[in-house]
Amino acid sequence: MSIPVSRAILPALAGGFVVFAVTLAAADALNFPTVRTDLSADTLKRVRDVTRPTADFSKAEPYEAMQGGAATSIDPITRDIFSQPSANLNQEQGQDFHLGNALFRKLWVSAPSSTQASDGLGPLFNARSCQSCHIRDGRGHPPETAGAAATSMVLRLARPPVTPEEERAVRDFHALNFPDSTYGVQLQDLAVPGLAAEGKVTVRYSEEAVPLAGETVTLRKPHYGVTDLAYGPFEQTTTLSPRIAPPMIGLGLIEAIPDADILAHADPDDTDADGIRGRAAMVRDHRTGQLALGRFGWKAQNASVRDQVADAFLNDIGISTPDQPNAYGDCTVKEARCLAMPTGVQKRLGDTEAPGPILDLVTFYSENLAVPARRKASFPDVVHGKEIFYQSGCAACHTPKFVTRDDLKGSDGKATAQAFQLIWPYSDFLLHDMGDGLSDGQQVGVASGRDWRTPPLWGIGLTQTVSGQQAYLHDGRARTLTEAILWHGGEAEKARNTFANLPQGDRQALINFLESL
């Protein structure tokens, strides 16, 4: 059977408060499909065969190196490898990608400015451009030195509901949580001239030695705080959740995974008794208000790439868009001087500082940052490390592969770059309890303080190359992949302990496998 590369790369298509867990039955009641509807019965069977976890660790699987299907970048590995476009874009789409890239890197300035198409920054903000946080479209990191700007790490602020009305809003998915009454949903540590920034993030670390066979690993536990609060104290129940910027690659492919295939891995009641209780995050689409499956953000709080982009424009840069039209960003009524500052809205350009075409192009760019091809996927030590990855239980949450939807069409009626691709993200995109060690104490919708979305692993081995350093987990505390694994607790504690008890050579083989992704 011949499958055009522009169509797909598929091997062997022959043959605090209450957490509201979403079960498959609940998903069905909410009109979420539990079976794919974009495929014929015959094709569905073949897709299931293709995505079934392998049991053959004698060699690499067919097409395994092409992690993003036909969209995979096979460009040489450089520090800019995360900034390449989907390989299957046509010429017109390639032009839109490069326009989106320019806007992603654009430095916004405070209003009023002579460069009216670029003003509107803030008034309170964390960065002047998307690229400032997502360095070369890669992973962020915590402040490197005491007093340094956080830049690629933010502190999300939230409190739990305190009234029956607020509890109902969370239960009905109309709110994820509630902002601090003074500082809003996020601490902005920068401000336009004439306005005081909200405060500065502080972080200090305590260290703990973990003895393993053949080596000792030191884990650093972060302790966060805020100094120089400019507008008074936080509310007593406000929690601080540090979040580094995640890598940008493969986002459009993640959005193209059918809801039914993600929900098929959910097991909130642990019916198979394996200790893994993946739960789906249900959220409201910011434009339609309809319920959707959350799959983006550290706690799966956004359902689409567009939602993620609009949220970042508003809260990180203070730029309004048609989806988030507040030109004052995250300013609150208690920050009166912030609300008195000029905005960048130019009526001749529209009602927002970043009109629809800008949001569209940045979203398109974000959807089409290509996943790089694997390195050394067939090397014996890497294949051995993959076997250990499976045997240790890592694949229970880091689901290796999916096939994206077959019914994705662009405005021209043709299949998009993300349609019907075999992809290898190594994530189930569900929420999992990761234990007290990683808890931030902050509820986000159905996610408790201990819950985190399984992050995709593709590209993780290129972190040092792209970012110039290594910083893993939601707050960048882990400086190596080994440290990141050793921080796993809760549902992942059994897999963590299995890794910790391996001989040093087997641990290194597993790390070699991760570094090949």
Side-chain angles (χ1 to χ4, degrees):
M1 179 178 180
S2 175
I3 301 176
V5 171
S6 61
R7 175 91 168 119
I9 292 186
L10 289 174
L13 268 185
F17 50 92
V18 178
V19 177
F20 304 103
V22 178
T23 65
L24 286 178
D28 187 53
L30 294 169
N31 296 318
F32 280 85
T34 54
V35 178
R36 291 183 65 158
T37 58
D38 61 312
L39 304 175
S40 68
D42 180 62
T43 303
L44 179 59
K45 179 183 180 302
R46 290 182 288 167
V47 165
R48 286 174 174 169
D49 289 341
V50 167
T51 55
R52 185 175 296 114
T54 187
D56 181 2
F57 299 101
S58 64
K59 58 185 182 300
E61 296 174 68
Y63 303 101
E64 186 175 358
M66 300 297 283
Q67 299 186 98
T72 304
S73 170
I74 58 172
D75 282 39
I77 301 300
T78 69
R79 66 196 304 220
D80 295 316
I81 189 58
F82 283 2
S83 301
Q84 306 309 310
S86 299
N88 53 351
L89 295 181
N90 61 35
Q91 185 175 7
E92 183 179 354
Q93 292 168 331
Q95 291 173 347
D96 286 345
F97 177 87
H98 290 297
L99 287 171
N101 182 21
L103 292 168
F104 193 83
R105 296 170 181 267
K106 176 180 182 175
L107 293 172
W108 294 83
V109 297
S110 58
S113 169
S114 59
T115 56
Q116 292 183 352
S118 297
D119 68 358
L121 175 69
L124 296 165
F125 61 97
N126 295 100
R128 291 181 57 199
S129 72
C130 306
Q131 186 74 202
S132 298
C133 294
H134 301 276
I135 304 164
R136 288 181 290 279
D137 302 294
R139 192 180 304 270
H141 56 82
E144 297 178 13
T145 59
T151 307
S152 60
M153 186 187 80
V154 300
L155 279 185
R156 298 290 284 190
L157 310 176
R159 64 167 177 81
V162 295
T163 67
E165 291 75 18
E166 289 182 344
E167 290 177 353
R168 188 179 309 113
V170 174
R171 184 172 59 250
D172 294 342
F173 307 104
H174 289 294
L176 297 173
N177 49 35
F178 296 89
D180 183 83
S181 60
T182 299
Y183 294 95
V185 303
Q186 188 165 299
L187 184 83
Q188 278 87 27
D189 59 355
L190 298 171
V192 298
L195 186 68
E198 291 182 322
K200 290 192 177 298
V201 179
T202 64
V203 57
R204 63 178 179 83
Y205 296 98
S206 55
E207 297 190 341
E208 176 187 355
V210 179
L212 304 175
E215 63 177 323
T216 297
V217 176
T218 301
L219 302 183
R220 58 176 192 173
K221 181 179 180 179
H223 306 273
Y224 294 98
V226 179
T227 62
D228 304 327
L229 283 173
Y231 303 96
F234 291 123
E235 290 186 75
Q236 285 190 338
T237 55
T238 293
T239 55
L240 312 180
S241 179
R243 316 274 181 88
I244 64 169
M248 296 290 295
I249 57 173
L251 299 185
L253 293 168
I254 294 170
E255 188 169 343
I257 300 172
D259 289 349
D261 284 359
I262 293 177
L263 291 170
H265 293 277
D267 186 17
D269 299 319
D270 194 19
T271 56
D272 59 4
D274 67 350
I276 307 300
R277 302 173 180 269
R279 293 182 294 114
M282 294 297 169
V283 298
R284 295 278 175 184
D285 182 280
H286 293 172
R287 289 169 292 164
T288 67
Q290 298 298 309
L291 280 173
L293 180 63
R295 60 183 78 191
F296 297 103
W298 286 105
K299 299 216 177 195
Q301 67 268 25
N302 283 314
S304 69
V305 177
R306 186 182 176 101
D307 279 357
Q308 191 82 353
V309 169
D311 182 81
F313 262 127
L314 183 75
N315 293 309
D316 297 348
I317 311 178
I319 296 293
S320 57
T321 64
D323 291 18
Q324 297 278 12
N326 182 4
Y328 293 99
D330 193 29
C331 296
T332 71
V333 293
K334 292 186 178 180
E335 296 171 318
R337 188 165 184 180
C338 180
L339 295 175
M341 301 297 288
T343 72
V345 175
Q346 309 291 333
K347 286 299 182 183
R348 63 185 179 82
L349 299 176
D351 296 327
T352 58
E353 294 156 323
I358 291 179
L359 180 59
D360 291 344
L361 286 167
V362 175
T363 298
F364 184 82
Y365 173 76
S366 302
E367 290 171 340
N368 281 286
L369 283 160
V371 180
R374 288 272 304 277
R375 287 85 49 215
K376 304 179 180 179
S378 61
F379 280 35
D381 63 326
V382 170
V383 176
H384 177 52
K386 176 183 173 182
E387 181 178 18
I388 296 171
F389 181 87
Y390 275 68
Q391 291 176 346
S392 298
C394 305
C397 299
H398 291 282
T399 304
K401 47 190 170 175
F402 293 90
V403 172
T404 59
R405 287 167 47 193
D406 191 30
D407 57 354
L408 300 174
K409 308 291 183 183
S411 58
D412 57 2
K414 297 180 180 179
T416 68
Q418 288 78 34
F420 206 52
Q421 302 297 319
L422 172 65
I423 62 173
W424 305 72
Y426 284 92
S427 172
D428 60 8
F429 304 101
L430 298 172
L431 297 169
H432 293 276
D433 180 342
M434 296 298 291
D436 287 333
L438 291 178
S439 177
D440 64 353
Q442 188 169 109
Q443 191 91 24
V444 181
V446 302
S448 75
R450 293 163 55 109
D451 290 333
W452 299 95
R453 179 202 70 154
T454 307
L457 297 180
W458 51 16
I460 198 166
L462 294 171
T463 299
Q464 178 72 43
T465 299
V466 173
S467 303
Q469 59 182 290
Q470 297 184 71
Y472 305 108
L473 303 176
H474 65 279
D475 57 2
R477 69 178 68 186
R479 297 157 294 186
T480 66
L481 291 170
T482 296
E483 286 183 36
I485 295 170
L486 293 175
W487 270 109
H488 283 48
E491 296 172 40
E493 186 169 4
K494 182 178 178 181
R496 177 260 183 218
N497 291 342
T498 299
F499 171 80
N501 291 324
L502 289 171
Q504 187 174 18
D506 285 348
R507 289 200 309 274
Q508 185 58 52
L510 191 152
I511 298 299
N512 291 345
F513 164 68
L514 294 176
E515 290 178 342
S516 77
L517 297 177

